[in-house]
């Protein structure tokens, strides 16, 4: 098979777009899927899309259609570019090269006009592939690829776009370098394509990469590497359910095994490929697969089956009028008839091939034609004419550098000279044959060793596949069990979730009720302030914690001294509140007391706190440092609260105030506990009430222990008696509003 034929077949079996493409219009997606199976229909869909819709340049060029292509009268610039791309690819598959180039140029121009960088680069990459496959012009193709690379580097912003373009760009570079025989450069580009393809995370792109790389190794007769790549593509196509790529891989595997003389495997893969392409009429892929199957049958000696496949392939090619393929198929048919000893039909199809061969310059076909003509002359005992034809076959085979045809020609020439009695010439031809055969045999021996390794690998793959089938059955049974268990757990989880949700609702309701009850429990029912119950519950633990911190500081376990801000306890008694209910009644008394409680809660700010201590008494607690107000100023503040309360009912604004500080004993922080502190505070407030009963008006009393007051003086079960004694001894200073 000539290099040109190889390039043609490889182009047919490998789409120009090397990655999965998703189009802005759903109908274009459908057309793209038909490129490999029905390119005529794909071209028709793209053409109708362009003709039946008007472009809308006033809209966002990058806007895509939604809701299943509901806008059926317009097309955006980006979808128009995509339609031209599909049209170009379809025309190329239909061998309409001029129309293909024109369509992709329109896509490039339109994308450039609307500044669609993605569409522009994709279109230009497709153009480079089309131009390369059409002309094999290395210089021009490299120039186009360099332009794409330069423009791509300038637009290095959208990473997914760059990865796709770089992937396709590397593959085209690899094909160009492979064509030139620069295998090291070609493999470098394939490695680049591998890195970009892995970043795409797209199975279709990776399958295409393995197919392209396998094709490269197959072309260079590196069968071991080709098998590795093609088997990777084969298994990945099955796993990803890519039937089109699987058919392509099967065809190449058929070619590989045919060249390796593993004919049963070649026929198996070729038949699988033909089964896929047989579903579509006038498919060029089917023609190539049928030709391969015919060649396999011919090698196996099943000439009639080979003829059937050759004629089927010929029927496929007649409508496309591909001269190269028509000549090759007629020569193959003529050669098959010759092997069947049907010389008349063999000569008939040889003449048909020669009639076409006059208009083209195909050295391989002309060499095959001359060689077959020589065989027919020998059958008719025309040795002189046979020698002439063999000489022409040798000339054409040298021109095409086809060792296979040259070898056959030299062998036939040796036999012909021997038949003519010209033994010297026969010996010379035989020696040339042996020389060629020895070099080919060396390669064949290497191939045979590779065949053994390949067959071993294939058997391992088959066993692996059988093991996977058994494992699949077992996994299916396990999956059914797991599904049943999962179903039961799902029902159970649903019930548990319902129960948990119900319990959550109940708990939320109970927490809400508990919060309300706690508020009521720790709130005075009339004033709404914190009540005495909350004070007696929290004050002991708070003071106990403070005492513990003090002890740790004295022992050196704490670095900073606690309670650097002391607490001042102020208990003020409002006599008027006791008389409200007697003078104004229960309802009026409740409203006034509630208003008074609300008022106090507004004038007291954190961290200070106020408690409704008893019926007419309120406890105010604040932090006191050396810079804060003294006792008289504190008393004036409380008096201002009472005076500022707006109420026509409270005519008497008298208030009696008792004040103490915590810690009460400066040198014995823990000597006075919470209950004793409250008793001292009550004693001070009672003293203020006594003074007020003697002298009308508000009074205040402040008890403060001297700095050196000993704790032993207060070590008594009756703290009130101890305080009175301490006052008499001068250990407690009594400051009052009446000095």
């Amino acid at each position: 098979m000539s290099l040109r034929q190889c390039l043609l077949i490889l182009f047919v079996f490998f789409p120009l777009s090397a990655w999965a493409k998703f189009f802005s219009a759903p109908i274009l997606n459908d057309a793209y899927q038909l490129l490999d199976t029905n390119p005529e229909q794909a071209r028709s869909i793209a053409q109708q899309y362009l003709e039946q819709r008007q472009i809308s340049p006033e809209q966002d060029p990058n806007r895509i259609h939604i809701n299943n292509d509901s806008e059926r009268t317009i097309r955006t610039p980006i979808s128009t570019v995509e339609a031209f791309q599909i049209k170009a690819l379809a025309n190329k598959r239909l061998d309409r090269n001029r129309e293909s180039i024109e369509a992709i140029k329109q896509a490039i121009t339109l994308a450039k006009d609307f500044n669609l960088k993605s569409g522009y680069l994709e279109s230009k990459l497709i153009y480079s592939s089309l131009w390369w496959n059409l002309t094999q012009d290395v210089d021009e193709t490299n120039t186009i690829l360099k332009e794409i690379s330069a423009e791509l580097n300038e637009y290095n912003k959208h990473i997914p776009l760059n990865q796709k373009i770089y992937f396709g760009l590397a593959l085209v570079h690899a094909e160009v370098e492979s064509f030139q025989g620069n295998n090291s450069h070609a493999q470098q580009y394939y490695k680049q394509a591998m890195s970009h393809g892995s970043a795409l995370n797209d199975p279709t792109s990776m399958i295409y990469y393995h197919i392209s790389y396998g094709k490269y190794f197959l072309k260079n007769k590196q069968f071991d590497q080709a098998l590795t790549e093609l088997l990777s593509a084969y298994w990945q196509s099955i796993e990803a359910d890519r039937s089109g790529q699987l058919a392509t891989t099967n065809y190449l595997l058929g070619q590989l095994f045919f060249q390796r003389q593993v004919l049963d495997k070649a026929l198996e893969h070729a038949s699988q490929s033909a089964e896929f392409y047989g579903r579509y009429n006038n498919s060029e892929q089917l023609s190539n697969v049928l030709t391969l199957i015919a060649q396999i049958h011919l090698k196996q000696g099943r000439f009639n089956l080979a003829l059937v496949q050759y004629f089927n392939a010929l029927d496929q090619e007649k409508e496309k009028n591909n001269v190269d393929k028509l000549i090759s198929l007629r020569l193959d048919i003529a050669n098959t008839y010759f092997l069947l000893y049907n010389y008349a039909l063999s000569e008939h199809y040889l003449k048909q091939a020669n009639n076409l061969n006059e208009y083209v310059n195909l050295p391989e076909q002309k060499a095959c034609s001359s060689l077959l003509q020589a065989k027919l002359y020998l059958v008719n005992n025309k040795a002189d004419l046979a020698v002439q034809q063999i000489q022409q076959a040798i000339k054409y085979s040298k021109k095409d550098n086809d060792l296979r045809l040259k070898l056959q020609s030299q062998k036939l020439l040796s036999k012909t000279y021997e038949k003519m009695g010209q033994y010297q010439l026969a010996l010379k031809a035989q020696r040339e044959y042996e020389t060629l055969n020895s070099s080919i045999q060396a390669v064949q021996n290497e191939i045979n060793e590779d065949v053994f390794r390949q067959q071993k690998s294939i058997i391992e793959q088959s066993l692996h596949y059988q093991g996977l089938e058994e494992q699949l059955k077992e996994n299916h049974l396990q999956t059914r069990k797991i599904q049943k268990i999962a179903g039961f757990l799902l029902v159970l989880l649903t019930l548990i979730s319902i129960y948990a949700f119900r319990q959550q609702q109940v708990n939320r309701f109970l927490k809400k009720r508990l919060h309300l009850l706690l508020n009521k429990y720790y709130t005075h029912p009339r004033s709404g302030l914190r009540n005495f119950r909350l004070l007696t519950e929290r004050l002991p633990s708070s003071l106990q914690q403070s005492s513990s911190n003090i002890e740790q500081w004295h022992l050196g376990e704490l670095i900073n001294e606690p309670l650097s801000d002391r607490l001042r306890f102020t208990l003020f008694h409002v006599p008027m509140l006791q008389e409200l209910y007697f003078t104004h009644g229960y309802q009026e008394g409740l409203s006034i007391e509630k208003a008074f409680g609300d008022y106090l809660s507004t004038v007291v700010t954190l961290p200070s706190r106020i408690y409704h201590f008893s019926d007419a008494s309120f406890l105010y607690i604040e932090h006191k440092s050396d810079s804060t107000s003294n006792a008289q100023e504190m008393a004036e503040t409380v008096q201002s609260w009472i005076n500022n309360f707006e109420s026509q009912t409270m005519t008497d604004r008298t208030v009696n105030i008792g004040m103490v500080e915590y810690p009460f004993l400066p040198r014995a922080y823990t000597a006075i506990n919470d209950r004793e502190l409250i008793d001292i505070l009550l004693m001070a407030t009672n003293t203020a009430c006594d003074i007020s009963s003697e002298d009308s008006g508000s009074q205040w009393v402040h008890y403060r222990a001297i700095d050196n007051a000993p704790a032993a003086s207060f070590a008594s079960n009756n703290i009130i008696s101890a305080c009175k004694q301490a006052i008499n001894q001068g250990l407690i200073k009594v400051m009052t509003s009446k000095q």
Side-chain angles (χ1 to χ4, degrees):
M1 186 176 292
S2 67
L3 178 61
R4 183 176 178 182
Q5 285 177 312
C6 291
L7 290 173
L8 179 61
I9 293 174
L10 292 172
F11 168 74
V12 168
F13 278 91
F14 300 104
L16 293 174
S17 53
W19 58 84
K21 174 77 173 176
F22 299 98
F23 294 88
S24 57
I27 192 172
L28 296 181
N29 276 318
D30 298 337
Y32 184 76
Q33 298 299 326
L34 294 170
L35 278 176
D36 293 328
T37 56
N38 197 337
E40 180 61 42
Q41 186 177 355
R43 188 204 65 80
S44 177
I45 292 174
Q47 185 64 30
Q48 289 179 7
Y49 182 82
L50 294 171
E51 293 176 352
Q52 296 176 0
R53 304 187 184 210
Q54 297 295 325
I55 194 169
S56 53
E58 71 279 358
Q59 298 178 353
D60 182 7
N62 294 302
R63 188 179 67 85
I64 63 174
H65 293 286
I66 58 175
N67 296 331
N68 197 22
D69 198 19
S70 57
E71 300 178 3
R72 299 185 180 277
T73 58
I74 61 173
R75 48 183 165 88
T76 61
I78 189 170
S79 65
T80 305
V81 171
E82 292 168 347
F84 278 117
Q85 290 176 353
I86 293 175
K87 186 177 177 182
L89 295 173
N91 281 325
K92 181 57 184 176
R93 283 161 173 78
L94 295 170
D95 291 329
R96 301 171 184 171
N97 297 321
R98 180 177 296 178
E99 291 86 344
S100 177
I101 295 296
E102 290 178 356
I104 199 62
K105 284 184 176 180
Q106 286 180 289
I108 293 172
T109 303
L110 186 63
K112 189 174 183 180
D113 292 342
F114 285 96
N115 196 25
L116 302 174
K117 203 63 179 181
S118 172
Y120 175 74
L121 292 174
E122 288 180 5
S123 300
K124 204 160 186 180
L125 181 60
I126 294 173
Y127 173 71
S128 68
S129 298
L130 291 172
W131 183 258
W132 166 248
N133 284 278
L134 181 63
T135 64
Q136 277 78 54
D137 188 341
V138 176
D139 296 334
E140 180 65 22
T141 303
N142 283 331
T143 301
I144 299 172
L145 295 177
K146 288 180 182 179
E147 292 176 358
I148 296 173
S149 298
E151 293 169 349
L152 186 59
N153 291 332
E154 293 178 1
Y155 190 72
N156 191 13
K157 296 180 180 179
H158 305 293
I159 299 302
L161 167 66
N162 288 356
Q163 294 294 349
K164 291 193 297 183
I165 301 295
Y166 282 132
F167 177 72
L169 196 62
L171 288 179
V172 178
H173 268 300
E175 291 182 4
V176 175
E177 296 297 334
S178 174
F179 176 80
Q180 295 177 277
N182 300 329
N183 293 326
S184 59
H185 291 167
Q187 292 194 12
Q188 289 178 2
Y189 282 117
Y190 275 118
K191 289 180 181 179
Q192 293 180 15
M194 177 65 180
S195 62
H196 295 304
S198 300
L200 288 176
N201 193 24
D202 173 38
T204 303
S205 299
M206 291 310 301
I207 295 170
Y208 179 85
Y209 162 79
H210 288 300
I211 292 175
S212 180
Y213 206 13
K215 171 258 298 184
Y216 162 78
F217 285 124
L218 183 60
K219 172 190 170 185
N220 290 281
K221 305 298 182 182
Q222 295 175 300
F223 299 122
D224 208 31
Q225 296 90 331
L227 182 62
T228 301
E229 296 298 328
L230 293 177
L231 283 179
S232 298
Y234 179 81
W235 292 109
Q236 289 183 23
S237 299
I238 293 176
E239 184 178 353
D241 194 21
R242 300 292 192 269
S243 56
Q245 290 180 315
L246 179 60
T248 302
T249 307
N250 275 319
Y251 172 77
L252 289 175
L253 284 170
Q255 286 276 16
L256 172 62
F257 286 118
F258 177 71
Q259 294 185 36
R260 299 283 295 278
Q261 303 300 312
V262 186
L263 300 180
D264 56 338
K265 284 292 181 182
L267 183 60
E268 178 183 341
H269 287 285
S271 299
Q272 291 178 12
S273 182
E275 182 180 355
F276 174 80
Y277 292 118
R279 304 185 191 127
Y280 310 102
N281 296 325
N282 299 326
S283 174
E284 188 170 353
Q285 292 92 327
L286 179 60
S287 173
N288 289 284
V289 175
L290 292 175
T291 302
L292 175 60
I293 294 175
Q295 292 172 348
I296 296 171
H297 286 316
L298 195 65
K299 280 285 186 181
Q300 292 175 328
R302 294 185 277 190
F303 304 131
N304 290 323
L305 291 176
L307 278 176
V308 172
Q309 301 300 334
Y310 277 133
F311 280 118
N312 289 336
L314 187 62
D315 291 338
Q316 296 286 331
E317 293 295 338
K318 282 181 179 179
E319 296 184 5
K320 291 193 288 290
N321 198 24
N322 188 332
V323 178
D324 188 358
K325 294 295 292 294
L326 289 174
I327 294 172
S328 297
L329 285 171
R330 284 184 168 87
L331 287 174
D332 290 334
I333 293 172
N335 185 61
T336 306
Y337 274 123
F338 181 84
L339 294 174
L340 287 170
Y341 304 103
N342 193 335
Y343 304 124
L345 285 176
S346 177
E347 190 171 359
H348 170 72
Y349 282 99
L350 179 60
K351 288 181 179 179
Q352 289 185 355
N354 288 333
N355 291 335
L356 294 174
N357 226 351
E358 293 178 359
Y359 302 100
V360 293
N361 183 20
L362 300 174
E364 181 185 4
Q365 280 77 357
K366 289 185 177 182
C368 291
S369 175
S370 298
L371 195 59
L372 182 57
Q373 185 66 62
K375 292 178 182 179
L376 289 171
Y377 281 147
L378 285 176
V379 170
N380 296 322
N381 295 319
K382 299 178 180 179
D384 294 337
L385 295 177
V387 169
Q388 295 178 7
Q389 293 296 324
I390 294 172
Q391 294 292 350
Q392 288 185 2
I394 293 174
K395 182 182 68 173
Y396 287 127
S397 61
K398 287 182 179 180
K399 186 176 181 180
D400 197 41
N401 196 23
D402 193 329
L403 295 179
R404 179 180 60 87
L405 289 175
K406 188 186 296 185
L407 186 67
Q408 294 177 6
S409 300
Q410 290 293 346
K411 185 176 182 180
L412 183 60
L413 183 61
S414 176
K415 290 182 178 180
T416 304
Y417 279 136
E418 185 178 357
K419 187 176 181 179
M420 295 172 64
Q422 300 180 11
Y423 299 111
Q424 290 293 335
L425 294 176
L427 181 60
K428 181 180 178 182
Q430 183 66 24
R431 286 177 178 175
E432 292 185 6
Y433 167 79
E434 294 294 341
T435 303
L436 289 173
N437 189 49
S438 61
S439 61
I440 295 176
Q441 191 63 39
V443 177
Q444 189 66 35
N445 291 336
E446 182 181 355
I447 291 176
N448 289 335
E449 294 177 5
D450 289 340
V451 167
F452 176 77
R453 290 198 301 270
Q454 295 288 10
Q455 288 176 338
K456 180 178 178 293
S457 176
I458 293 168
I459 292 172
E460 289 175 351
Q461 289 286 353
S462 300
L463 293 176
H464 177 63
Y465 184 75
Q466 292 175 0
L468 288 178
E469 287 182 339
E470 295 297 328
Q471 186 178 359
L472 179 62
K473 293 179 181 178
E474 184 179 352
N475 289 342
H476 181 68
L477 295 176
Q478 294 295 332
T479 302
R480 293 297 299 273
K481 292 180 181 179
I482 293 173
Q483 286 176 346
K484 292 179 181 179
I485 296 174
F488 171 77
L489 292 178
L490 181 61
V491 174
L492 182 61
L493 181 61
T494 303
L495 295 176
I496 293 174
S497 300
I498 294 173
Y499 176 79
F501 178 77
R502 174 62 180 167
Q503 288 298 113
Q504 184 181 11
Q505 295 295 103
V506 172
N507 290 339
R508 187 177 300 172
F509 174 75
L510 293 177
K511 286 181 180 179
K512 188 175 182 180
R513 286 196 63 186
L514 179 61
H515 181 70
L516 294 174
L517 290 174
L518 287 175
N519 285 338
K520 291 182 179 180
Y521 186 74
Y522 292 121
T523 302
H524 196 278
R526 296 193 300 274
S527 65
L529 298 174
R530 297 181 178 92
N531 59 13
F532 184 74
R533 186 182 290 111
L534 180 61
L535 176 66
T536 56
E537 183 174 330
R538 294 187 179 178
L539 185 60
S541 60
S542 177
L543 297 184
Q544 183 179 4
Q545 180 64 36
S546 299
S547 300
S548 176
N549 291 339
I550 291 295
E551 291 177 357
Q552 291 180 11
W553 177 73
H554 277 297
L555 294 174
E557 296 178 5
L558 293 178
I559 297 176
N560 297 322
E561 179 183 358
L563 290 177
S564 58
D565 289 338
R566 300 173 182 270
L567 297 178
R568 172 182 284 160
F569 288 74
T570 303
L571 182 64
F572 56 95
H573 177 72
V574 184
M576 184 62 186
L577 290 177
Q578 287 181 320
E579 301 174 2
L580 282 176
Y581 294 91
F582 298 102
T583 57
H584 297 86
Y586 180 72
Q587 296 292 339
E588 185 67 14
L590 283 177
S591 63
I592 294 174
E593 194 169 6
K594 184 65 172 66
F596 185 71
D598 295 338
Y599 168 73
L600 289 180
S601 64
T602 59
V603 298
V604 176
T605 58
L606 294 176
S608 300
R609 301 180 300 278
I610 190 167
Y611 296 87
H612 196 147
F613 189 84
S614 63
D615 288 343
S617 300
F618 301 87
L619 176 61
Y620 176 71
I621 303 175
E622 69 170 356
H623 285 273
K624 179 184 179 299
S625 62
D626 295 336
S627 61
T628 58
S629 60
N630 55 30
Q632 183 176 356
E633 292 174 346
M634 184 67 238
E636 292 174 355
T637 300
V638 174
Q639 183 64 58
S640 67
W641 292 348
I642 305 300
N643 294 336
N644 293 334
F645 175 63
E646 297 178 358
S647 175
Q648 298 178 356
T649 306
M650 289 185 62
T651 57
D652 185 7
R653 305 287 177 160
T654 300
V655 59
N656 299 316
I657 306 170
M659 289 176 282
V660 296
E661 296 170 0
Y662 181 84
F664 187 73
L665 300 178
R667 293 186 179 275
Y669 293 133
T670 61
I672 304 298
N673 60 27
D674 59 300
R675 294 179 180 274
E676 294 171 342
L677 184 67
I678 295 297
D679 284 337
I680 297 172
L681 185 61
L682 289 170
M683 181 179 175
T685 307
N686 184 56
T687 303
C689 291
D690 292 340
I691 297 173
S692 178
S693 63
E694 295 176 0
D695 299 329
S696 61
S698 300
Q699 302 295 334
W700 58 270
V701 174
H702 180 210
Y703 283 179
R704 181 176 182 182
I706 64 175
D707 293 338
N708 296 323
S713 300
F714 297 89
S716 172
N717 292 331
N718 192 338
I719 190 63
I720 295 178
S721 299
C723 284
K724 289 180 180 180
Q725 185 178 357
I727 291 172
N728 293 330
Q729 294 175 353
L731 299 177
I732 296 178
K733 293 182 179 181
V734 181
M735 301 176 63
T736 68
S737 55
K738 181 181 179 182
Q739 298 298 328

